[in-house]
Amino acid sequence: MSSADAPEVVVVGLGPVGITLCNLLASQGIRVEGVDAASEIYSLPRAIGMDHEVMRIFQSIGATDALAGAIGDYRPSEYRSEQGILLRRFESPPEPYPLTWPPYLTFLQPELERVLRQNATKFPTLTLRPGLELIELKNPDEPILTLRDKATGEITTRAPSFVVGCDGGNSFVRRSLDISFEDLDFHEPWLVVDMIVEDEHTPLPQTNIQFCSPARPHTYVIGPGRLRRWEFMILPGENADEVNRETRIWELLSPWLRPDRARLWRSATYTFHALVAEKWRTGRVFLAGDACHMMPPFLAQGMVQGVKDTANLSWKLAHALRGGSERLLDTYEAERRPLLREIIEITKRLGRVICELDPEKARARDAELIAAMEAGQGVQIRQNLFPPIRHGLIGRGVNGSLSPGAGEPSPQPWVAGPGGRTRLDDMLPRGFVLLFAGDIDVPPALLGQARELGVAVHRIARSPSERAPLTEEDGLLANWLSAKGACAVLVRPDHMVFGTAGDMRDAEGLLRELRSGLAA
């Protein structure tokens, strides 16, 4: 392999996290090789929910049209007591959606992975090699990989600039680096069952439900099409293999289904963990996805957060490979690890509510949650549960406090422009963007500072009467900026907010702060 063809980045693991990272890097012109010991896509049930930020990431690599057949609506989620009493309800915000995509969606993971692998074929700098197993990783400061072809036994080596381990909870990359997990104290065995409902008249719930029954906590999720998922907690003293027998599965499903109305598609047992890797980087080797964090499934965040890892890391790797400061790569762990730790703690708290097995404690829990519902405090917007990025490359201003909106996803409205109606991201260049809302004259000096930094400047009109190439449909961006007391937002390449500006002086300050952060 010539140096011109040698990969700049090797991605180990081609599950949804690894294949997304391959696509993201290749879409920026980086030479990437993706390897996976498995020759086929994993077919057993795993992730089923994703959010609008993930769809925005898939939008950035041009994969969303092809994904249409693999996704479905995500219904509201309810917690119900053993007696069926509503304890809590999670909903999504109404339209206009903050990122144009529905805030939550269901999907078929094997089909999603197939689409992303097919999408990868359009990038000439990307090579995928399923059936190629990493058997040795040496010298993480200048990594050397030894790989074995599972079919032929042929041994080859690679010496890329960077390596990213996306190879799951039992990550060979993480173990090779001798990185331990911080245990956040949640280990619960569950059975996951995917059913295809063949009788459309089968009376099933029309929302997702967490059944908070101390006799056996269990979950019901409405997937795309005719897919319905049940998850059952495996109780102390039960054998996971016995619970996963088909006759036992039908016993557990008997309150909802008869065998003549549905077919068992697939089932698996898992122990749900709460773990975060102590380090996410050694030298030029990084971890992403389950390789560096695992969490209970009660907010459908496992795969979601792994894909968000790739959005955070990919543009920083591209920056370094183009000659930028490699210190920027330190912000990957600085931003993502504390955020993941918070999300895991939030998920754990919900999991403790759901998984209570003591009948007396369950009754006390029910009484507390019913009282909250009666007081009007039991319905929550799911997105409001998650914190923003609070560390790393985000704006802080002269007093050190976070810029309003910093660390949040930047709004993506529908816009009308010369090419018709489209999502805002599709009309903007890749990279840092400074967005102004309304009919604002941007001073030439500010434009010059932005140009020196490689920051694109765009004005988004609030109505056709204002002078701007693009006009947003619903005032989404303008209203968001107004709520932050701002006239402009500086957006990072991963569509996260660097900071907002109340006036032109603030905008100049954001650019100075960005310059300092990129040069550090």
Side-chain angles (χ1 to χ4, degrees):
M1 183 180 292
S2 69
S3 59
D5 297 325
E8 296 169 287
V9 181
V10 170
V11 176
V12 182
L14 292 174
V17 173
I19 188 60
T20 301
L21 179 59
C22 287
N23 275 273
L24 283 168
L25 289 167
S27 70
Q28 298 171 79
I30 303 302
R31 297 192 307 278
V32 191
E33 184 175 28
V35 304
D36 196 303
S39 57
E40 302 292 337
I41 291 170
Y42 191 74
S43 64
L44 290 179
R46 290 180 292 165
I48 195 172
M50 63 180 174
D51 69 9
H52 53 182
E53 289 182 65
V54 171
M55 282 300 291
R56 190 181 199 177
I57 293 165
F58 295 154
Q59 176 191 343
S60 74
I61 58 174
T64 51
D65 287 347
L67 282 171
I71 61 178
D73 296 335
Y74 198 100
R75 307 291 180 87
S77 297
E78 297 180 350
Y79 289 14
R80 290 193 173 270
S81 71
E82 188 170 25
Q83 296 75 31
I85 300 170
L86 181 62
L87 304 176
R88 178 179 283 165
R89 182 177 168 93
F90 292 103
E91 298 180 346
S92 291
E95 295 188 67
Y97 296 139
L99 307 185
T100 69
W101 298 104
Y104 267 81
L105 294 158
T106 56
F107 69 98
L108 302 172
Q109 182 167 336
E111 183 59 26
L112 178 139
E113 292 184 38
R114 277 190 285 272
V115 168
L116 294 180
R117 290 196 187 191
Q118 179 60 36
N119 192 77
T121 63
K122 68 187 182 186
F123 299 116
T125 61
L126 173 55
T127 303
L128 300 183
R129 299 191 189 277
L132 193 62
E133 179 182 19
L134 175 63
I135 59 174
E136 186 177 50
L137 167 59
K138 294 192 298 185
N139 190 19
D141 290 329
E142 295 182 5
I144 300 174
L145 308 179
T146 303
L147 303 127
R148 179 174 58 210
D149 188 301
K150 296 289 288 290
T152 67
E154 180 186 1
I155 302 296
T156 56
T157 61
R158 304 285 190 277
S161 297
F162 296 101
V163 176
V164 186
C166 303
D167 49 342
N170 194 36
S171 169
F172 180 89
V173 174
R174 188 189 66 248
R175 289 184 283 115
S176 298
L177 299 174
D178 197 26
I179 294 175
S180 300
F181 272 126
E182 178 187 5
D183 190 337
L184 299 180
D185 191 28
F186 190 99
H187 307 278
E188 298 286 359
W190 283 64
L191 168 72
V192 181
V193 179
D194 281 348
M195 304 295 299
I196 303 300
V197 177
E198 296 184 316
D199 184 345
E200 62 183 19
H201 301 296
T202 302
L204 291 171
Q206 298 303 302
T207 62
N208 301 329
I209 301 177
Q210 298 281 1
F211 294 94
C212 303
S213 168
R216 185 187 298 276
H218 52 288
T219 304
Y220 168 78
V221 179
I222 302 170
R226 292 179 293 142
L227 172 63
R228 302 294 180 267
R229 172 172 289 185
W230 280 264
E231 300 174 357
F232 298 94
M233 187 175 180
I234 299 174
L235 301 177
E238 289 186 321
N239 179 281
D241 291 336
E242 288 295 316
V243 175
N244 196 21
R245 293 174 57 211
E246 186 167 350
T247 54
R248 182 66 179 126
I249 289 171
W250 280 112
E251 290 174 5
L252 293 169
L253 291 173
S254 61
W256 299 277
L257 290 175
R258 298 196 314 258
D260 63 327
R261 290 192 161 189
R263 61 180 170 88
L264 174 61
W265 183 24
R266 52 193 187 174
S267 65
T269 57
Y270 298 97
T271 297
F272 298 145
H273 297 290
L275 305 167
V276 180
E278 299 282 1
K279 295 193 302 180
W280 292 32
R281 174 191 186 185
T282 298
R284 289 179 155 226
V285 182
F286 296 80
L287 302 173
D290 284 358
C292 57
H293 51 77
M294 286 185 275
M295 67 186 72
F298 306 112
L299 281 170
Q301 288 295 298
M303 188 205 80
V304 164
Q305 293 301 326
V307 172
K308 292 179 185 180
D309 291 343
T310 71
N312 188 293
L313 179 59
S314 59
W315 71 270
K316 296 173 183 178
L317 287 172
H319 176 84
L321 287 165
R322 291 177 183 132
S325 171
E326 291 194 18
R327 291 189 180 181
L328 179 65
L329 294 169
D330 292 335
T331 66
Y332 169 58
E333 179 178 336
E335 291 174 6
R336 294 294 297 161
R337 189 177 189 278
L339 179 65
L340 261 294
R341 218 177 173 285
E342 281 191 78
I343 291 171
I344 288 173
E345 290 295 341
I346 292 166
T347 308
K348 272 177 53 185
R349 287 197 293 272
L350 295 178
R352 295 296 184 205
V353 170
I354 295 163
C355 296
E356 182 57 67
L357 298 178
D358 184 291
E360 185 174 339
K361 291 180 179 178
R363 282 192 291 272
R365 170 204 64 198
D366 293 353
E368 180 180 342
L369 293 176
I370 290 168
M373 286 293 298
E374 292 174 347
Q377 301 169 352
V379 178
Q380 294 179 281
I381 300 298
R382 186 184 294 264
Q383 281 72 21
N384 294 346
L385 294 172
F386 303 117
I389 295 170
R390 297 193 180 97
H391 309 276
L393 188 73
I394 49 176
R396 295 190 176 275
V398 292
N399 61 2
S401 61
L402 285 179
S403 172
E408 299 178 13
S410 175
Q412 178 184 214
W414 286 101
V415 295
R421 180 180 189 259
T422 189
R423 293 179 169 90
L424 175 61
D425 293 355
D426 294 336
M427 299 298 293
L428 298 177
R430 184 185 293 272
F432 284 93
V433 180
L434 182 61
L435 295 176
F436 289 87
D439 193 0
I440 293 176
D441 290 323
V442 183
L446 180 60
L447 292 172
Q449 292 169 19
R451 189 162 44 249
E452 288 178 9
L453 268 176
V455 175
V457 179
H458 287 265
R459 289 182 295 113
I460 312 297
R462 292 167 293 193
S463 69
S465 63
E466 295 180 336
R467 295 176 298 114
L470 299 175
T471 302
E472 63 170 318
E473 284 190 358
D474 301 300
L476 193 74
L477 177 63
N479 292 339
W480 184 87
L481 283 169
S482 177
K484 306 296 182 189
C487 68
V489 55
L490 180 54
V491 185
R492 305 188 331 180
D494 56 1
H495 305 299
M496 305 305 290
V497 173
F498 178 82
T500 54
D503 54 28
M504 294 302 165
R505 175 180 288 184
D506 289 344
E508 291 178 352
L510 284 176
L511 292 175
R512 286 194 299 271
E513 194 172 358
L514 176 61
R515 182 189 298 275
S516 176
L518 292 176

